[in-house]
């Protein structure tokens, strides 16, 4: 008989927490999982899933326009924000139900409460004040939007959390940030008919992505009518007459908009979590410090997902949870593999990417080959839409391995998933060349770029 109430106590019912609790419970472990808001966490409730549903909604006006080129006459169309929010909420409710069902089915005890650590093996359930003990504790509390508290007027702004439940669609919005969340929401709001401006401190949106893709997306977004202000930032937000907000910027004067959204990064949810009481170490950003097996400095406490500030993506949190189970409960030490993570930005056009950007590869290898294609996708010929796809393969000249693949255009995210397998498998450019094309597709370009567009040798383009 164990001396603890539970074998495993999980704090946080998001992507990582639910997976660890469900797998451990299915193995017959006595598991409890505490969630202070809604099961499913950021991804399901106010992240990936509702965001993608909004992306779909925002694309229809272009579909209606494109239809004319294919002989269709589309009647009058109108968009109803409340209908979209209600449909989205219904789907999120369904998914939340599935998460809870999965936990219950596996035999985990579901606790609707905030939980805080009180020691290396103990947790206080805030709803009841009860203290429970566990042999192991997993911290999977995720993160929250950085409120940018030093910005005068930050309390007048919304974050991505509120963007999913606005009472009404604003006429105009200013979005601060240049990361994927800022970029995706700029496209969503613009697509739904909102006058949209993106303001970003850096020189180009989507830092760390391939420069060609960043520039290509920037141009495509501007061509659609999204205003992008780089190398600028908000200095103050104030209420202005007629219910608008007056936003003082560093370089572009005062902008008057209905809504300001801050998408300036996410902070680990560790404030008030009792980490000091348990002796758990955090870094300067408040993220829980872990080793390669997601172990904190306290042997009974583990942390995974966004709270560890490694790679903030749902599949990564889930993977880290599965590695934790392998290591702790299956006697099979497995550390999460964070190399070559394929990822997408659901901008319009979409970005799909895996591996090194040209800039990163040029620094890492003596010589790289860059294969680059820019073309008009077939659908755009009849629709008349002035859009271009970009595809890029980065190859290490020494061993011919494809070390980076970058796509801007329709279905780029879907393609990135499959490219991820090829890079993980260590495929060379010759493997790509040996692969028969699927015709007519945009993806066939990936296997038909036979000659390098240029090379970069010792950092110099040749
Ligand atoms: C707008 C947006 C879009 C995104 N889009 C994508 C995408 O397209 N693809 C992708 O891969 N990732 C995306 N992400 C990131 C993804 O949502 C996160 O990486 C993922 O949810 C992390 O999972 P997690 O388990 O670490 O934390 P979370 O999913 O955040 O779960 C943490 C849970 O813990 C709960 N909690 C916090 N503190 C306590 C406490 N003390 N007691 C009890 N419960 C607590 C929270 O309420 C939350 O439910 C997006 C994020 C956002 C914000």
């Amino acid at each position: 008989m164990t001396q603890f109430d539970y074998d495993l106590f999980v704090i946080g019912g998001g992507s990582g927490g639910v997976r660890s609790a469900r797998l451990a419970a299915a193995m017959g472990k006595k598991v409890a999982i505490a969630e202070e808001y809604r099961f499913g966490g950021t991804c399901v409730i106010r992240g990936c899933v509702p965001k993608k549903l909004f992306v779909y909604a925002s694309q229809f006006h272009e579909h209606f326009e494109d239809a004319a080129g294919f002989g269709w006459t589309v009647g009058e169309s109108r968009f109803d924000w409340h209908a979209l929010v209600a449909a989205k909420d219904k789907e999120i409710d369904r998914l939340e139900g599935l998460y809870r069902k999965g936990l219950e089915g596996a035999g985990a005890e579901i606790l609707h409460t905030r939980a805080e650590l009180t020691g290396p093996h103990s947790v206080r359930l805030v709803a009841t004040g009860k203290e429970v003990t566990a042999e192991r504790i997993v911290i999977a509390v995720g993160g929250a939007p950085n409120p940018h508290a030093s910005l005068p007027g930050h309390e007048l702004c919304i974050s991505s959390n509120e963007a999913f439940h606005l009472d009404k669609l604003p006429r105009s919005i200013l979005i601060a940030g240049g990361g994927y969340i800022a970029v995706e929401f700029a496209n969503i709001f613009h697509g739904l008919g909102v006058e949209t401006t993106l303001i970003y401190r850096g020189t180009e949106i989507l830092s760390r992505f391939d420069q060609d893709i960043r520039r290509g997306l920037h141009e495509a977004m501007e061509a659609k009518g999204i205003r992008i202000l780089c190398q600028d930032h908000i200095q103050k937000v104030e209420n202005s007459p007629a219910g608008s907000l007056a936003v003082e910027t560093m370089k572009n004067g005062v902008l008057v908009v209905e809504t300001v959204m801050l998408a300036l990064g996410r902070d680990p949810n560790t404030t008030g979590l009792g980490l000091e009481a348990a002796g758990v170490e955090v870094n300067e950003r408040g993220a829980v410090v872990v080793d390669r097996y997601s172990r904190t400095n306290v042997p009974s406490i583990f942390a995974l997902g966004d709270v560890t500030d490694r790679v903030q993506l749902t599949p990564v949190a889930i993977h880290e949870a599965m590695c934790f189970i392998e290591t702790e409960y299956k006697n099979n030490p497995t550390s999460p593999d964070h190399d070559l993570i394929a990822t997408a930005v659901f901008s319009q056009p979409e970005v799909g990417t895996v591996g090194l950007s040209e800039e990163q590869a040029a620094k890492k290898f003596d010589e790289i080959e860059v294969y680059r294609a820019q073309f008009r996708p077939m659908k755009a010929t009849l629709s008349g839409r002035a859009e271009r796809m970009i595809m890029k393969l980065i190859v290490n000249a020494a061993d011919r391995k494809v070390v980076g693949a970058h796509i801007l255009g329709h279905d780029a995210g879907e393609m990135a998933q499959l490219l991820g397998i090829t890079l993980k498998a260590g495929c060379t450019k010759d493997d790509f060349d040996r692969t028969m094309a699927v015709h007519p597709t945009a993806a066939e370009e990936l296997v038909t770029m036979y000659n390098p567009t240029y090379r970069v040798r010792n950092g110099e383009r040749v």
Side-chain angles (χ1 to χ4, degrees):
M1 183 70 181
T2 165
Q3 65 193 100
F4 302 105
D5 298 323
Y6 299 100
D7 296 317
L8 175 66
F9 192 99
V10 179
I11 309 178
S15 308
V18 167
R19 183 61 64 100
S20 21
R22 184 165 62 72
L23 292 182
M27 291 179 67
K29 303 291 172 193
K30 191 165 183 222
V31 178
I33 176 166
E35 168 56 52
E36 67 177 352
Y37 181 51
R38 293 182 65 181
F39 278 91
T42 304
C43 175
V44 174
I45 308 297
R46 43 196 182 186
C48 335
V49 175
K51 181 247 340 245
K52 188 89 189 271
L53 295 174
F54 278 16
V55 169
Y56 287 130
S58 67
Q59 290 171 334
F60 279 95
H61 84 109
E62 285 198 356
H63 294 334
F64 298 147
E65 284 172 14
D66 290 353
F70 294 86
W72 286 89
T73 303
V74 179
E76 190 202 343
S77 61
R78 258 182 328 110
F79 171 67
D80 181 341
W81 169 252
H82 294 107
L84 172 65
V85 172
K88 180 264 297 176
D89 285 345
K90 195 171 162 207
E91 172 59 7
I92 300 309
D93 287 350
R94 186 185 74 84
L95 291 175
E96 185 183 9
L98 289 180
Y99 269 72
R100 294 163 52 94
K101 210 168 148 193
L103 285 166
E104 281 161 3
E109 186 178 341
I110 292 179
L111 303 168
H112 291 281
T113 176
R114 178 174 170 80
E116 292 170 357
L117 293 160
T118 51
H121 290 282
S122 57
V123 170
R124 190 171 69 91
L125 310 180
V126 173
T128 56
K130 188 177 163 193
E131 188 165 273
V132 297
T133 59
E135 185 182 14
R136 289 180 179 81
I137 297 170
V138 163
I139 302 170
V141 294
N146 173 353
H148 208 46
S150 60
L151 172 72
H154 69 92
E155 67 286 353
L156 302 171
C157 307
I158 63 163
S159 71
S160 59
N161 284 352
E162 293 76 34
F164 291 115
H165 285 111
L166 292 175
D167 289 341
K168 69 182 181 67
L169 194 61
R171 280 188 310 279
S172 55
I173 192 164
L174 175 69
I175 301 178
Y180 78 93
I181 294 177
V183 166
E184 289 174 340
F185 272 98
N187 283 279
I188 289 171
F189 281 114
H190 170 76
L192 296 178
V194 180
E195 191 187 317
T196 303
T197 306
L198 186 65
I199 185 166
Y200 175 50
R201 189 184 281 271
T203 48
E204 186 55 278
I205 55 172
L206 292 183
S207 65
R208 293 195 296 273
F209 283 71
D210 187 274
Q211 185 63 34
D212 259 335
I213 302 294
R214 298 167 71 189
R215 191 69 227 152
L217 177 61
H218 184 137
E219 285 167 6
M221 286 171 63
E222 279 187 336
K224 283 176 194 285
I226 299 171
R227 190 175 174 209
I228 302 181
L229 309 173
C230 283
Q231 293 180 291
D232 196 3
H233 64 268
I234 301 178
Q235 291 183 312
K236 198 196 317 178
V237 182
E238 281 178 324
N239 277 314
S240 83
S244 303
L245 296 171
V247 185
E248 200 178 297
T249 66
M250 188 190 66
K251 273 177 37 187
N252 283 278
V254 175
L255 309 176
V256 177
V257 292
E258 203 172 308
T259 301
V260 178
M261 173 173 161
L262 303 180
L264 300 163
R266 292 176 62 80
D267 299 333
N269 264 335
T270 47
T271 310
L273 190 59
L275 294 172
E276 316 76 34
V280 176
E281 195 190 328
V282 292
N283 69 14
E284 61 296 341
R285 286 207 353 98
V288 177
V289 177
V290 287
D291 70 5
R292 54 197 288 263
Y293 294 105
S294 300
R295 293 184 294 221
T296 71
N297 59 314
V298 178
S300 54
I301 302 182
F302 303 78
L304 44 89
D306 282 7
V307 73
T308 62
D309 210 10
R310 287 176 279 185
V311 183
Q312 297 185 4
L313 290 170
T314 288
V316 176
I318 292 172
H319 174 67
E320 288 168 0
M322 284 161 35
C323 292
F324 159 75
I325 296 290
E326 284 294 320
T327 305
E328 293 302 314
Y329 293 123
K330 295 190 180 173
N331 197 23
N332 175 27
T334 309
S335 60
D337 177 1
H338 293 117
D339 192 30
L340 291 172
I341 297 171
T343 175
V345 179
F346 296 99
S347 45
Q348 300 169 40
E350 209 167 284
V351 173
T353 180
V354 56
L356 302 176
S357 65
E358 178 185 329
E359 298 73 39
Q360 291 164 336
K363 280 196 191 123
K364 185 165 177 184
F365 302 111
D366 293 342
E367 182 174 331
I368 57 167
E369 295 168 1
V370 178
Y371 297 78
R372 185 185 190 281
Q374 185 163 5
F375 57 95
R376 195 175 191 197
M378 198 186 212
K379 191 176 167 197
T381 55
L382 294 202
S383 70
R385 192 164 291 287
E387 63 178 58
R388 290 271 180 273
M389 273 194 99
I390 299 179
M391 295 204 175
K392 248 179 121 172
L393 293 177
I394 315 293
V395 175
N396 177 13
D399 59 9
R400 307 275 297 144
K401 273 205 177 139
V402 179
V403 294
H406 312 282
I407 301 170
L408 177 72
H410 288 290
D411 298 326
E414 305 288 340
M415 287 185 244
Q417 180 66 85
L418 303 178
L419 283 167
I421 303 170
T422 64
L423 265 72
K424 212 65 186 156
C427 288
T428 63
K429 181 66 175 57
D430 308 307
D431 295 319
F432 277 62
D433 292 347
R434 286 191 296 115
T435 303
M436 195 68 77
V438 178
H439 183 73
T441 63
E444 67 184 301
E445 209 65 37
L446 292 166
V447 295
T448 52
M449 294 189 283
Y450 298 113
N451 298 311
T453 313
Y454 54 89
R455 293 164 186 272
V456 181
R457 199 173 291 143
N458 300 322
E460 297 288 325
R461 190 163 157 166
V462 290

